[in-house]
Amino acid sequence: MADVDPESGFLGKTEMIKEDLSVFTDVKILTMRKPYFIASGSRYGRRWALKGLSTEYSDSTVHRQQLLKEFKILSSLSHPGIVSFAGMEEVEGLGLCIIMEWVEGPTLEQELRSGQLTAADRRRLLSEIVEAVAHIHYHGIVHRDLKLSNILIRQNGRKAVIIDFGLADTDAFTILKSPAGTPGYISERQQEADTPFTGDDVYSLGVIMQMLCPEYRTIIKKATGKPECRYRDGADLLAAIRRRQTRGKRLMRQGAIAVAVMALAAISLLAYRNGRLADSNSLLHSSVEDLQHQVMTLDTAGTYERRMMSDSIGRLSHRLKAQNTYRDSVERHASFITDAKRMMRTRLEKELKLFIAQHDNRFDEGLTISLARNLQAVKEECFASLPPLDVNDRAELESAFQTYYEEMGRRWNNMNPDKE
């Protein structure tokens, strides 16, 4: 029974932790690719990747030197896009191992095969990979085995991580010099040469780029071209990619601004020449929404371009508001004119009926003249009861009165029995 401190409730000093926390547990061999194996193990409450030599190579001086060389190269690098190391030690049951972080996630090869990557994902991953290679080259190291299966995609964050530096080399090492690489990813030079050359990594990146972003045709052509014409190293290639991406975003911004200008012209033409309010309002809504979406996607847009885009949205939104107001005004005015016509017709009909009743169905020329005067008086009363009218409204109501006046005259004449 463990001693418990009665005051604190914690284990007393006499309680010893029997488990050796430095020992790896749950060790599992994951892959075996001679002369190496990759295993996983748990220690300090986290999972680790262990790389060592398979049993038949564990006593080989050459292969142990190769493992030590990989460790020294890996220990000189520190970048979020490169697998990090924790040390090198003898692991019980496995022998000498490089201890590395465990990266949870698929390889880039598996991710591409799944078909889940968008064009934006591909461009982002390409930039991350080349940034990491630029860091490798900055430290005088050449990876020499860049390929889709040597790039992992972190499950959390979806970031690219370069692994497997077993074939990596630098000018500083004088041992274990030999041609290396994976067919399909390596240049013709790398198949024959035993010296590290950053241009060989650039070639491999060009092959990877062909599968990730084939639209970068010019860059791919130069990256996989003759050694003397290739980009110098990862940094040189990264600069070319960023120029290409910046140019694409600039063209995208210019296109969006052009869309705004054309939309404004089309809307103005529809709204103020053709008067098709419903169609022009629909176009306005679409243009505003399209521009807003494009601004949201341009996270790295320059201040000047973003301001121009925002101004375009502002102008379109203002035009939309003004046009809605204009449409409402037109509809209210049309309703007002309709009501005025209805009121005038009703009062004219009432006057006709009253006139007939007052004169006891008598018909003569004098009465016809009197009716005409009465109807004109009703018209003037109707006009006087309305708000001030502009020339067009007055002309429209005058035209309506003339129609009603003629109709009243026909009805009066039709009631006259002496009328031929």
Side-chain angles (χ1 to χ4, degrees):
M1 186 72 177
D3 295 332
V4 179
D5 187 327
E7 293 184 3
S8 66
F10 291 101
L11 292 177
K13 296 180 180 179
T14 59
E15 175 67 14
M16 300 296 292
I17 299 176
K18 296 180 180 180
E19 182 183 2
D20 185 355
L21 294 180
S22 65
V23 175
F24 283 96
T25 60
D26 299 323
V27 176
K28 297 177 182 177
I29 302 293
L30 302 177
T31 61
M32 184 72 73
R33 191 174 58 185
K34 294 181 180 181
Y36 302 109
F37 67 79
I38 300 294
S40 67
S42 299
R43 185 167 71 174
Y44 310 134
R46 58 178 291 190
R47 197 176 184 189
W48 301 89
L50 313 173
K51 182 174 183 177
L53 296 169
S54 54
T55 305
E56 59 266 43
Y57 296 96
S58 59
D59 293 330
S60 168
T61 301
V62 172
H63 289 99
R64 286 176 71 88
Q65 286 181 331
Q66 181 68 53
L67 190 66
L68 183 60
K69 178 181 178 180
E70 180 178 353
F71 165 71
K72 289 180 178 179
I73 287 175
L74 193 58
S75 66
S76 66
L77 301 172
S78 179
H79 188 277
I82 300 171
V83 63
S84 63
F85 81 105
M88 187 174 190
E89 59 187 84
E90 290 284 341
V91 177
E92 185 178 355
L94 296 179
L96 188 63
C97 292
I98 300 174
I99 316 301
M100 297 171 288
E101 68 166 320
W102 178 262
V103 179
E104 189 68 48
T107 65
L108 181 55
E109 184 176 35
Q110 293 168 332
E111 196 72 354
L112 274 175
R113 197 180 300 124
S114 72
Q116 299 299 312
L117 292 176
T118 65
D121 290 333
R122 291 166 181 255
R123 290 191 292 269
R124 175 182 57 78
L125 288 172
L126 175 64
S127 295
E128 292 172 0
I129 294 165
V130 179
E131 283 176 13
V133 174
H135 177 82
I136 294 171
H137 290 173
Y138 176 79
H139 286 79
I141 299 168
V142 182
H143 188 282
R144 298 211 305 167
D145 198 18
L146 293 170
K147 55 186 177 181
L148 296 179
S149 58
N150 276 346
I151 300 168
L152 295 178
I153 309 300
R154 291 187 190 275
Q155 184 170 292
N156 294 325
R158 311 295 296 158
K159 300 292 185 180
V161 182
I162 297 176
I163 61 170
D164 197 350
F165 284 74
L167 300 180
D169 201 1
T170 74
D171 289 333
F173 285 99
T174 58
I175 60 171
L176 305 170
K177 299 288 187 178
S178 63
T182 300
Y185 289 91
I186 58 176
S187 64
E188 185 176 344
R189 176 202 173 279
Q190 190 175 342
Q191 298 175 37
E192 303 172 354
D194 57 6
T195 55
F197 174 52
T198 54
D200 292 334
D201 277 353
V202 170
Y203 181 95
S204 300
L205 288 171
V207 175
I208 293 172
M209 195 184 310
Q210 178 66 53
M211 291 178 273
L212 268 181
C213 302
E215 67 271 20
Y216 291 4
R217 289 185 294 274
T218 303
I219 299 177
I220 293 169
K221 183 177 180 180
K222 184 173 180 179
T224 55
K226 294 181 179 180
E228 62 272 16
C229 299
R230 269 178 230 155
Y231 298 102
R232 183 178 63 256
D233 53 23
D236 203 14
L237 176 59
L238 181 62
I241 291 173
R242 286 177 172 168
R243 285 195 299 270
R244 167 65 167 75
Q245 292 175 343
T246 301
R247 184 168 65 252
K249 290 174 182 175
R250 185 170 63 249
L251 291 173
M252 186 175 171
R253 292 194 292 269
Q254 291 173 350
I257 293 170
V259 167
V261 173
M262 289 188 291
L264 284 170
I267 290 162
S268 298
L269 182 64
L270 284 170
Y272 298 106
R273 290 188 180 180
N274 298 337
R276 299 180 62 183
L277 292 175
D279 291 343
S280 59
N281 265 281
S282 176
L283 277 174
L284 271 169
H285 278 295
S286 299
S287 299
V288 171
E289 291 174 358
D290 181 60
L291 278 175
Q292 287 174 335
H293 172 71
Q294 292 192 51
V295 168
M296 288 174 64
T297 60
L298 296 178
D299 292 333
T300 58
T303 302
Y304 174 72
E305 291 85 353
R306 183 175 288 279
R307 185 168 61 249
M308 289 187 67
M309 293 283 284
S310 297
D311 288 347
S312 296
I313 292 175
R315 289 194 298 271
L316 283 173
S317 298
H318 178 74
R319 181 64 59 82
L320 177 60
K321 182 178 179 180
Q323 194 152 294
N324 282 334
T325 301
Y326 173 67
R327 181 191 61 193
D328 293 342
S329 175
V330 168
E331 291 175 352
R332 287 195 301 271
H333 181 263
S335 178
F336 163 73
I337 296 297
T338 299
D339 291 343
K341 291 178 179 179
R342 186 182 299 113
M343 179 266 293
M344 185 164 55
R345 181 186 180 91
T346 299
R347 294 180 64 174
L348 289 172
E349 289 178 339
K350 183 178 179 181
E351 177 61 28
L352 176 61
K353 292 178 181 179
L354 182 62
F355 188 85
I356 293 172
Q358 287 177 344
H359 294 86
D360 197 21
N361 292 327
R362 288 184 293 111
F363 302 93
D364 56 44
E365 191 66 26
L367 290 177
T368 300
I369 295 173
S370 295
L371 175 60
R373 290 173 180 165
N374 288 358
L375 294 177
Q376 287 287 346
V378 169
K379 182 197 78 169
E380 295 302 327
E381 291 175 2
C382 289
F383 274 63
S385 67
L386 297 173
L389 302 172
D390 61 24
V391 174
N392 292 331
D393 291 343
R394 177 171 286 276
E396 185 173 354
L397 289 177
E398 287 280 6
S399 176
F401 169 76
Q402 188 62 35
T403 300
Y404 303 149
Y405 178 81
E406 292 173 357
E407 182 183 342
M408 300 302 133
R410 286 195 297 273
R411 289 166 64 179
W412 168 259
N413 289 331
N414 289 337
M415 294 177 66
N416 186 355
D418 298 329
K419 184 74 174 175
E420 291 183 357

